[in-house]
Amino acid sequence: MKLREWNARLHGLVIFRSLLEDPVVAKLMDLTDRMDTGSRSMAGVCDAVAEFEAALFEHTTNWSDYLSAAALEAETVCVRSAAAGALHPVLQAALDSELSFLQQLCALTLEELFRTAYPEQGRCPELAFLPRWETRELDLAAAYAQRISEIGKKGYGMFAKHHVFTVENGQLVPVKYPDPQKLSELPGYEKEREKVIANTRALLAGMPANNVLLYGDAGTGKSSSVKAIANEFAEEGLRLVEVKKNQLYQIPDLMDRLAANPLKFILFIDDLSFTANDDNFAALKAILEGSVGGRAKNIAVYATSNRRHLIKETLTDRTGDDIHETDTRQELMSLSARFGLTVTFQRPEKAKFETILAELAKQHNIQMPMDQLLVKAEAFAIRAGGRSPRVAKQFIEQCEAGVQK
């Protein structure tokens, strides 16, 4: 392939148009642009090669690995159509053509670029000092077909690179460094978590799954359980979207976009509670069950709260001048009833607290005698306001750091 054809094919990408926004691919395109102008000055070409290699080497020294990964993870009209179950013949032909070109591009070396751009100069000895990126043989078309077959687990675009997201201005934003919490690091409450895990497995299997309310005392591991479940099942196609209470009005549009995605999503609302006249109250009711569009089968809402009925009530609320006071109370209580599964996390009794301590001490390799550990931990819990898994973890971490001796 001649340089002008390399350059034209890059500029002419249709299915994989988004690759041109990739910072490394953009540097390669700039390099072929400069070479294609026919300039005999090596300074501009040398700059372009160096910029491309510097961008590539930030990730890997192997160009084939980088480009193939970018192509496999790209969000394209073809991958969206395939996920929906149908791919138009025109799109299939364009996809096959561009995959063939990208496979050739994966094998592109600096020497080949030099030969096509400057055939009369041979090996361009004045550029011999430049480092060479690596390449390897691969079958991009087969790898892409495999990725399409696993789209419900691997995802595409940012969903292939990340499994935890937040919401900003109604748009999903990836969390680059999510909490690495693991289920194995959360001793105690296995029985409670098993209900949530079973519901999550149903969601992943495409079976009816409930919205879940994790209710209970502070520090009992409600939020950590949800994060750990998201980490545990990320490889099976689960994605976590953390939503703040003041963003609930943005969620219906977000759910509409996610409904066509082959992955499964947990909308996670942490530390949820409302006042009686909170506008977000009605928004969450509609999200949970009451909209005319119905619930998407690939989305479930998991919320944590220290309040069973989610509403902050006062004695004045119960003795006010509302003529239909019973109806009003029923409306307020109806929100928690819209969670099909409610799991209670209660403050641990002494025996359970000691079991949690013993397991955490083992995980952190704490060598303190157990009887001494338990006495110190009990005293620590009293000062911290009571027993809880969070208090147990704080105590063990202080032991590990040498603060507790």
Side-chain angles (χ1 to χ4, degrees):
M1 193 179 292
K2 296 185 180 299
L3 175 65
R4 181 156 295 181
E5 188 177 355
W6 283 114
N7 190 249
R9 290 296 300 268
L10 264 174
H11 280 278
L13 287 174
V14 175
I15 303 300
F16 290 96
R17 193 77 188 163
S18 62
L19 287 181
L20 302 185
E21 299 174 7
D22 180 277
V24 179
V25 178
K27 296 293 185 185
L28 177 66
M29 189 163 63
D30 180 57
L31 170 59
T32 61
D33 284 346
R34 294 194 195 188
M35 287 182 163
D36 193 41
T37 60
S39 172
R40 297 304 173 191
S41 170
M42 288 292 102
V45 173
C46 188
D47 279 340
V49 173
E51 288 175 4
F52 166 68
E53 292 190 321
L56 174 64
F57 292 168
E58 285 290 330
H59 305 275
T60 177
T61 58
N62 194 298
W63 166 238
S64 305
D65 289 343
Y66 184 88
L67 182 58
S68 60
L72 293 175
E73 294 173 353
E75 180 176 351
T76 69
V77 62
C78 288
V79 79
R80 290 194 299 268
S81 298
L87 187 59
H88 193 280
V90 171
L91 294 178
Q92 183 66 61
L95 174 64
D96 293 341
S97 174
E98 292 192 6
L99 283 173
S100 176
F101 164 66
L102 289 175
Q103 173 146 344
Q104 295 178 64
L105 191 61
C106 281
L108 183 65
T109 63
L110 190 56
E111 282 78 8
E112 185 173 357
L113 269 179
F114 286 160
R115 283 196 302 270
T116 59
Y118 312 107
E120 73 284 359
Q121 296 185 33
R123 299 177 60 86
C124 281
E126 64 269 38
L127 298 179
F129 71 92
L130 287 168
R132 267 47 174 175
W133 60 82
E134 299 173 305
T135 61
R136 68 178 179 88
E137 292 186 7
L138 51 81
D139 189 340
L140 187 57
Y144 199 81
Q146 178 70 20
R147 175 57 68 95
I148 291 294
S149 70
E150 299 174 340
I151 200 69
K153 292 184 178 181
K154 301 290 187 180
Y156 52 76
M158 64 180 177
F159 299 111
K161 299 177 182 179
H162 307 278
H163 75 281
V164 179
F165 303 84
T166 57
V167 179
E168 293 183 11
N169 300 318
Q171 302 298 317
L172 290 183
V173 177
V175 176
K176 294 183 179 179
Y177 305 103
D179 188 339
Q181 186 71 69
K182 298 179 181 178
L183 288 172
S184 59
E185 298 172 347
L186 297 173
Y189 301 92
E190 286 83 4
K191 184 177 179 180
E192 289 84 353
R193 275 195 297 273
E194 190 54 46
K195 297 177 183 178
V196 187
I197 292 172
N199 190 73
T200 306
R201 291 187 187 278
L203 176 67
L204 289 168
M207 299 168 60
N210 289 295
N211 296 316
V212 182
L213 174 63
L214 294 84
Y215 148 77
D217 297 304
T220 50
K222 302 182 296 294
S223 301
S224 295
S225 294
V226 176
K227 294 173 185 177
I229 287 171
N231 293 335
E232 184 80 12
F233 294 102
E235 293 297 321
E236 297 185 31
L238 184 65
R239 301 294 182 264
L240 183 74
V241 180
E242 185 171 13
V243 181
K244 292 180 171 49
K245 189 182 73 171
N246 61 2
Q247 297 173 323
L248 290 176
Y249 71 95
Q250 302 174 351
I251 300 307
D253 287 341
L254 178 62
M255 292 177 75
D256 286 343
R257 295 198 298 272
L258 295 179
N261 196 300
L263 297 168
K264 305 299 188 294
F265 294 88
I266 290 176
L267 300 186
F268 176 43
I269 312 169
D270 196 19
D271 197 19
L272 182 63
S273 65
F274 297 98
T275 57
N277 58 352
D278 196 327
D279 291 339
N280 292 304
F281 177 83
L284 182 57
K285 285 180 68 175
I287 291 168
L288 291 173
E289 194 174 340
S291 67
V292 295
R295 278 185 54 201
K297 293 182 179 180
N298 65 329
I299 303 173
V301 177
Y302 285 18
T304 68
S305 180
N306 298 334
R307 295 176 179 271
R308 173 65 180 85
H309 296 297
L310 304 177
I311 307 297
K312 296 178 181 178
E313 291 185 276
T314 65
L315 289 175
T316 304
D317 293 331
R318 291 181 176 263
T319 59
D321 57 0
D322 190 344
I323 296 175
H324 301 290
E325 184 259 346
T326 301
D327 291 346
T328 301
R329 291 218 332 257
Q330 287 292 333
E331 180 184 8
L332 296 178
M333 293 174 65
S334 69
L335 179 59
S336 59
R338 289 175 186 249
F339 288 91
L341 176 61
T342 299
V343 183
T344 304
F345 286 68
Q346 295 180 330
R347 189 182 295 273
E349 297 178 353
K350 184 176 181 180
K352 190 171 190 176
F353 182 67
E354 292 179 350
T355 300
I356 293 171
L357 272 170
E359 181 59 32
L360 288 175
K362 181 179 178 182
Q363 291 179 11
H364 291 259
N365 197 29
I366 304 300
Q367 300 299 320
M368 187 183 301
M370 186 54 61
D371 56 347
Q372 183 180 346
L373 183 77
L374 296 178
V375 170
K376 288 180 175 290
E378 192 68 28
F380 182 86
I382 292 173
R383 293 193 299 272
R387 305 183 191 99
S388 74
R390 179 186 296 161
V391 168
K393 185 176 181 181
Q394 290 170 346
F395 173 76
I396 292 297
E397 287 176 343
Q398 289 190 16
C399 290
E400 187 176 27
V403 177
Q404 295 285 343
K405 296 181 180 178

